[in-house]
Amino acid sequence: MRKVTRYPVESQNALWHIYKTVSPWKGVRNFIWIQFSRYCPVLPLKNWIYRRMLGMKVGEHTAFGLMVMVDVFFPEKITIGENSVIGYNTTILAHEYLIKEYRLGDVIIGDNVLIGANTTILPGVTIGDGAVVAAGAVVHKNVAPGAFVGGNPLRDLSRPADSPEETAFKTEEPSQRKLH
């Protein structure tokens, strides 16, 4: 289950209340840094921007693909461990503005996690160490360490060991191959 804090609103939909929750100047400043980072091919510079300019917690050797979109209003609620890969055009949200309420939640992505391209990660989720999220997934719930998940709705994609599909793709050990 996602961990989010809910804030009910009266009258207009919650998005009309956005500047009661976050400064418009913070939004503009973050937007500029995020847009620069989305196109930046230099990984150390991109991580420096995320850490120093946006307040995210980003582990060593984590790599963000081009066009990754992190939360504009609450990037400081995003934590990503070491040696993880965030795929092309992934969106990481720490807020949701709905009709009658808005929600805020930390996003925690562990060490050695692979997030496939075009994935959307919703507020309040934790993705455990070593997990793999398939391209195009919508992460609306926590992902266990080492899990292989994907789809919308998100589901487990792992197969039992030695399943027929897995066996079909196994290759011989290099020491067993005959060289000509």
Side-chain angles (χ1 to χ4, degrees):
M1 192 70 183
R2 294 191 295 148
K3 283 185 181 179
V4 294
T5 304
R6 296 170 174 231
Y7 299 91
V9 298
E10 299 293 325
S11 66
Q12 306 92 351
N13 70 66
L15 198 51
W16 281 97
H17 297 265
I18 192 162
Y19 296 118
K20 295 176 185 173
T21 61
V22 64
S23 158
W25 301 114
K26 177 184 178 187
V28 169
R29 177 185 170 275
N30 288 353
F31 178 82
I32 292 166
W33 283 114
I34 290 167
Q35 288 305 312
F36 177 77
S37 296
R38 293 184 80 194
Y39 292 92
C40 178
V42 182
L43 297 178
L45 176 58
K46 196 180 281 202
N47 286 353
W48 181 85
I49 291 168
Y50 290 141
R51 289 180 191 121
R52 303 287 182 242
M53 305 312 293
L54 299 174
M56 293 170 54
K57 293 166 214 66
V58 178
E60 289 298 313
H61 302 109
T62 285
F64 291 84
L66 289 174
M67 303 307 290
V68 169
M69 185 69 189
V70 299
D71 194 283
V72 174
F73 298 115
F74 302 97
E76 67 277 5
K77 293 185 160 291
I78 299 170
T79 300
I80 303 172
E82 295 187 3
N83 202 44
S84 291
V85 175
I86 311 300
Y88 176 86
N89 206 37
T90 289
T91 301
I92 304 173
L93 296 172
H95 77 275
E96 293 176 312
Y97 285 87
L98 307 172
I99 301 296
K100 300 277 187 195
E101 69 180 6
Y102 67 93
R103 302 172 187 164
L104 302 177
D106 293 337
V107 174
I108 301 168
I109 300 172
D111 297 335
N112 301 303
V113 172
L114 175 62
I115 306 293
N118 296 306
T119 294
T120 300
I121 301 171
L122 297 180
V125 299
T126 297
I127 301 174
D129 293 344
V132 175
V133 178
V138 176
V139 182
H140 69 284
K141 60 184 176 181
N142 292 341
V143 176
F148 174 36
V149 298
N152 182 12
L154 193 71
R155 60 191 174 279
D156 184 11
L157 299 178
S158 60
R159 295 188 174 110
D162 294 325
S163 69
E165 295 89 354
E166 188 174 310
T167 305
F169 292 106
K170 286 186 178 177
T171 59
E172 297 175 358
E173 293 295 319
S175 61
Q176 295 174 348
R177 291 187 193 144
K178 293 181 182 179
L179 300 177
H180 294 72

